[in-house]
Every structure is written in C-alpha cells, then in structure tokens.
Amino acid sequence: MPEKLRKKKHLTSFQLIILGFAAVILLGTILLMMPFSSLDKVPTPFHEALFTATSAVCVTGLVVKDTGSYWSMIGQTIILVLIQIGGLGVVTVAAAVSLVSGKKISIMQRSTLQDAISAPKVGGIVRLTRFILKGTLVIETVGALLLLPTFLLDYGVKGIWMAVFHSVSAFCNAGFDILGTATNAFPSLTGYSGNILINVVIMLLIIIGGIGFTTWDDIYTNKLNFKRYRMQSKIILMTTACLILIPAFFFFVCDMRKLSTGKRLLASVFQSVTTRTAGFNTINISGMSEASKAIMILLMLIGGSPGSTAGGMKTTTFAVLILNAIATFRSQENAGAFGRRLEYRVIKNAATIAMLYFTLFFCGGIAISVYERLPLLDCLYEAASAVGTVGLTLGITPGLHIFSQVVLIILMYLGRVGGLTLIYAVFSGRNKRNIKLPWEKITVG
C-alpha cells in the first residue's frame, strides 16, 4: 500500500516541465518586483512583474513596461536570464547545471530531458544536451559579434550590452528589445528597418532558434545530405521555408508600398520570419492591411518547431494537418510524406493540439474584446501573439487592465509549455508508453 501511494505522488516528466516553468516565473516575478530592478528604484506592482516574467520565461516579448526605459541594468539582466532559461527550457538548464557540477544524470532526468527537447530516444540524451548547450553558446556569441559594430557605433560602450541582449533575445525567439527611451517607448527594431546587417543577423538567429535542437543535430551530423535527415527534420525545414517565403511574397505585394523596392523586400521577409515566433518588428504593424494581419495571426498560432526555443502549436502540427487534408482530397487512405506513412495517432494528436490552440486564442481574444470594449481583430491579434509566444502587438497591451493582462499571462504560459505537455500532465494517469508519439514518424506539439 505505501508503495502504491509513493507511485501516485510521483510527478511525471510533463508535470515537472510545467511546474518548472511556473517556479522560474514566480522567482523572476519576485526579483522584478524589487526596487533595484527598475530604473527609478521603485517597487514594480506584482501584476506587471508577473506579466514581464511570464513573457520572458515563455519567450514571448509582450510587455506592459518598456524594457529599455523602465528596467535598470539589473532588471534587464534578470529578464535576459529568464529569456535564456525559457528558450533552452527549464529542464535543459537544470541538466546543464548538473553536467557542469559533475553530477550524473539519472534515468528519470534523462526521460524528462527527452520529453523537454523532443529527443528521438533516451540513449545519447546527455551528448545531445551538451551539443545544444555548446551550439547555443556559439550561435549567440557569433550573433552578438555580428551585431556589435552597429550598436557600438550608435551607443558606444553600451553597445556591447545591446548586442548581447538582442542576440540572446533573437535566438531564443523572445522579441524583447532594450532600444526604447522615455520619449520613444516600445520601438522594437523600427529604427533599423533599412539596416541589412541587423535584419539578416536577427532573422538568422530567429530561424536557427526556431527549427529545433534535433534538427540542428541532423544538419550537423548529415551536413547537406538531405536524404539522410530524419523525416521530422525534413518536414520542419520544408514547412519553415514555405511559411517564410509565401507570407513574405504576400506582404510584399499587399503592404509597404511607400518603401523603396529594396527596403520593401527586406521588411516583407523580416515580418514573415518574425511573425511565427520572435516578436521583433521593423515597421509599424498596426499600419498593415487587415488581410496581412489575418495571415500574421495564423502564422503566430503555428509558431516554431518541436524541441526549439519557440512556442505555438508547431510547424509539424500544421504540416500533418495539411498532409492529411491532401490525402483526403486525393481519396488516399493514409497521409504521408517523403515516402513515409503518418500514423493515425499522430494525425489525431495534431488535430487535438490545433483545436486546443484555436480555442485558447479565440476565447482569449473575445474575453479581452468584451472586457476592454476594443475591436475584436486587435484583441485576437494580441491573443494569437500571446498563445503563439510571439510578442508582436498592435499597441494595445500596455494599456490593458489587470483582467486582460491575466488572460494574456495564461495564454503565454499555456502556449510555451506546449499542447501535448499540458494534455499529458493533466491526464497523467495514462501509461506514458501509450501516449508517447513515435519519433520515427513525426512529433507534434
């Protein structure tokens, strides 16, 4: 009997992931509430600190206080640490601490790591974790060095901090910027809309962070031999390319006609890349057409890829739904890609996750619209940005009341921990073996 009780109290890996994110958010909230975290040395209200900490850990980028002009260097550092933890994942960071301290990682920890980063198998998980940590350090360092010349020229010595902050924020798909001032709050990267270096570096960091750690491993191991990639990686890369190029073409044709051809092309591609996961913007989003805003809502809901720094329902979920629709139109019994069949369970999970995200997005947007008495499209845009952990805004977030802020906090949190993680954590009574998706087919959520 005691043994059965102990088993009941044992937390599953999915529950550990959810509780880990919650614990880091709470700690970040407490630190951001302290007077030393604000530039004016005044305590920050709990709900504003909680919103900022949640946005940072969930790598979203929605803020109620301008990061550059409100938070002190200590506050910005706390936010950056929260972004890094949220981007890599709480479990991955905990494993990194164990590796650095020389401790052995238990079987339970390895299993939790596997779920946290969508690894193909438990075997080799420590090697993959080391690869992720080293790769993250190298990519963020290179990104900071490439951004450094521009920021040094514009901000002097402070440009070093600017380069580091924006490199980490872009790689982790967070969208936080510290370019705001008391007279120009919430600017994002609009001041660098014509700077090719800043645009290209930020876009590359966003894409690399958003394709997933296991896709990195595939690229690193198999180089340009695309045929040897896992089915997962193939679908991620193909879907990512389509979700960048097609919307970019649409934005170029329908918006930003006042810009020169070169700047218009750069802005179109940047907005297409950043919309799914990152939250930076180089133009005034509220000035875009309603058709473009609707497309951006869909892109934000799709998000990044499994096991990446990004949130959302994931590119693989979207791809599975498209492949299943194509198979249905062709009257084919089974959906598939690259000569491989998709299992029914994968399709069922993809449909469940999509339904979950669309429900959260729609209910959240309506709740905010009704409470704030604001246009529904604007509220749906903010809700999609939150649940997709993107961070783009039409400018209404800073002025929202506490109720609406809480709605966005819930959406950000649920959007980051992931659909399947949430479902499996709630229905933890089921055998994990029965609910785990077969990696060799495709992972969604």
Side-chain angles (χ1 to χ4, degrees):
M1 189 67 147
E3 189 176 333
K4 288 184 178 179
L5 287 174
R6 279 198 298 271
K7 285 184 179 178
K8 286 183 180 178
K9 291 180 181 178
H10 184 70
L11 294 174
T12 67
S13 58
F14 300 107
Q15 290 170 336
L16 286 172
I17 292 169
I18 283 182
L19 292 175
F21 272 100
V24 174
I25 289 171
L26 182 59
L27 178 60
T29 300
I30 294 171
L31 292 174
L32 290 176
M33 286 175 66
M34 298 296 106
F36 56 71
S37 293
S38 67
L39 204 58
D40 295 332
K41 306 301 178 187
V42 296
T44 300
F46 172 76
H47 67 279
E48 292 181 351
L50 176 63
F51 191 99
T52 305
T54 304
S55 184
V57 175
C58 297
V59 290
T60 304
L62 288 174
V63 291
V64 290
K65 295 290 186 184
D66 179 65
T67 312
S69 61
Y70 180 82
W71 302 105
S72 65
M73 178 66 78
I74 295 175
Q76 291 175 8
T77 303
I78 293 169
I79 290 171
L80 191 65
V81 172
L82 294 177
I83 289 171
Q84 188 72 85
I85 293 173
L88 288 175
V90 177
V91 177
T92 307
V93 173
V97 173
S98 297
L99 290 172
V100 171
S101 61
K103 295 180 180 178
K104 289 186 177 181
I105 300 179
S106 67
I107 297 297
M108 178 59 189
Q109 289 174 318
R110 291 168 191 252
S111 178
T112 306
L113 260 176
Q114 182 190 9
D115 293 323
I117 61 178
S118 298
K121 55 186 177 180
V122 175
I125 196 70
V126 175
R127 181 201 66 80
L128 181 59
T129 302
R130 286 198 179 100
F131 173 73
I132 291 170
L133 296 173
K134 289 178 182 177
T136 297
L137 179 62
V138 170
I139 293 166
E140 289 179 348
T141 301
V142 172
L145 290 174
L146 291 173
L147 295 173
L148 190 58
T150 301
F151 286 127
L152 274 178
L153 186 65
D154 292 344
Y155 297 96
V157 178
K158 188 183 176 183
I160 299 174
W161 174 239
M162 291 280 193
V164 171
F165 189 98
H166 292 97
S167 177
V168 174
S169 182
F171 173 76
C172 291
N173 283 221
F176 277 80
D177 73 272
I178 51 173
L179 300 171
T181 62
T183 55
N184 182 30
F186 313 106
S188 193
L189 297 175
T190 52
Y192 293 97
S193 59
N195 189 306
I196 297 176
L197 177 64
I198 295 292
N199 277 256
V200 171
V201 172
I202 295 293
M203 281 192 287
L204 287 175
L205 287 170
I206 292 169
I207 293 169
I208 293 170
I211 60 175
F213 303 130
T214 50
T215 306
W216 294 5
D217 190 45
D218 239 349
I219 295 172
Y220 180 77
T221 304
N222 299 305
K223 305 298 186 290
L224 297 178
N225 193 348
F226 188 74
K227 290 183 179 180
R228 297 188 63 182
Y229 289 7
R230 301 183 189 95
M231 181 184 180
Q232 172 92 355
S233 300
K234 290 177 181 178
I235 288 180
I236 285 173
L237 293 173
M238 292 295 291
T239 306
T240 299
C242 291
L243 290 174
I244 290 174
L245 297 176
I246 296 173
F249 176 77
F250 184 89
F251 296 154
F252 182 83
V253 171
C254 298
D255 287 282
M256 300 167 279
R257 294 193 177 103
K258 293 181 180 180
L259 299 175
S260 63
T261 304
K263 287 185 177 180
R264 187 177 175 185
L265 178 62
L266 191 62
S268 299
V269 177
F270 189 94
Q271 262 53 240
S272 180
V273 170
T274 191
T275 300
R276 279 191 305 110
T277 56
F280 290 108
N281 60 283
T282 56
I283 61 169
N284 181 14
I285 299 295
S286 60
M288 296 183 73
S289 66
E290 292 198 353
S292 291
K293 290 175 185 175
I295 288 177
M296 293 176 87
I297 287 174
L298 176 61
L299 292 173
M300 289 191 288
L301 289 173
I302 294 171
S305 302
S308 71
T309 61
M313 68 182 184
K314 302 297 185 290
T315 52
T316 47
T317 301
F318 177 71
V320 166
L321 295 175
I322 294 295
L323 291 170
N324 186 54
I326 292 172
T328 302
F329 294 150
R330 292 181 174 180
S331 299
Q332 295 175 343
E333 186 176 348
N334 299 307
F338 302 104
R340 303 286 293 277
R341 181 177 62 85
L342 294 175
E343 287 193 356
Y344 171 72
R345 186 185 301 171
V346 176
I347 298 170
K348 185 173 69 172
N349 278 325
T352 302
I353 292 166
M355 189 64 193
L356 174 66
Y357 274 88
F358 276 109
T359 300
L360 288 171
F361 144 73
F362 197 64
C363 291
I366 288 178
I368 294 172
S369 179
V370 170
Y371 188 85
E372 302 286 345
R373 297 185 179 181
L374 292 171
L376 180 59
L377 179 62
D378 291 357
C379 297
L380 288 174
Y381 192 97
E382 305 294 303
S385 183
V387 78
T389 70
V390 179
L392 289 175
T393 176
L394 296 180
I396 69 173
T397 295
L400 295 178
H401 295 88
I402 295 178
F403 170 80
S404 299
Q405 289 182 22
V406 170
V407 171
L408 292 180
I409 287 171
I410 294 171
L411 291 178
M412 287 189 288
Y413 179 69
L414 296 180
R416 181 63 183 109
V417 298
L420 286 181
T421 302
L422 176 65
I423 294 168
Y424 293 167
V426 173
F427 300 102
S428 56
R430 293 184 60 185
N431 189 317
K432 183 179 170 183
R433 188 178 299 172
N434 293 332
I435 60 175
K436 191 163 183 61
L437 293 173
W439 173 270
E440 66 274 14
K441 302 303 179 187
I442 184 172
T443 302
V444 296

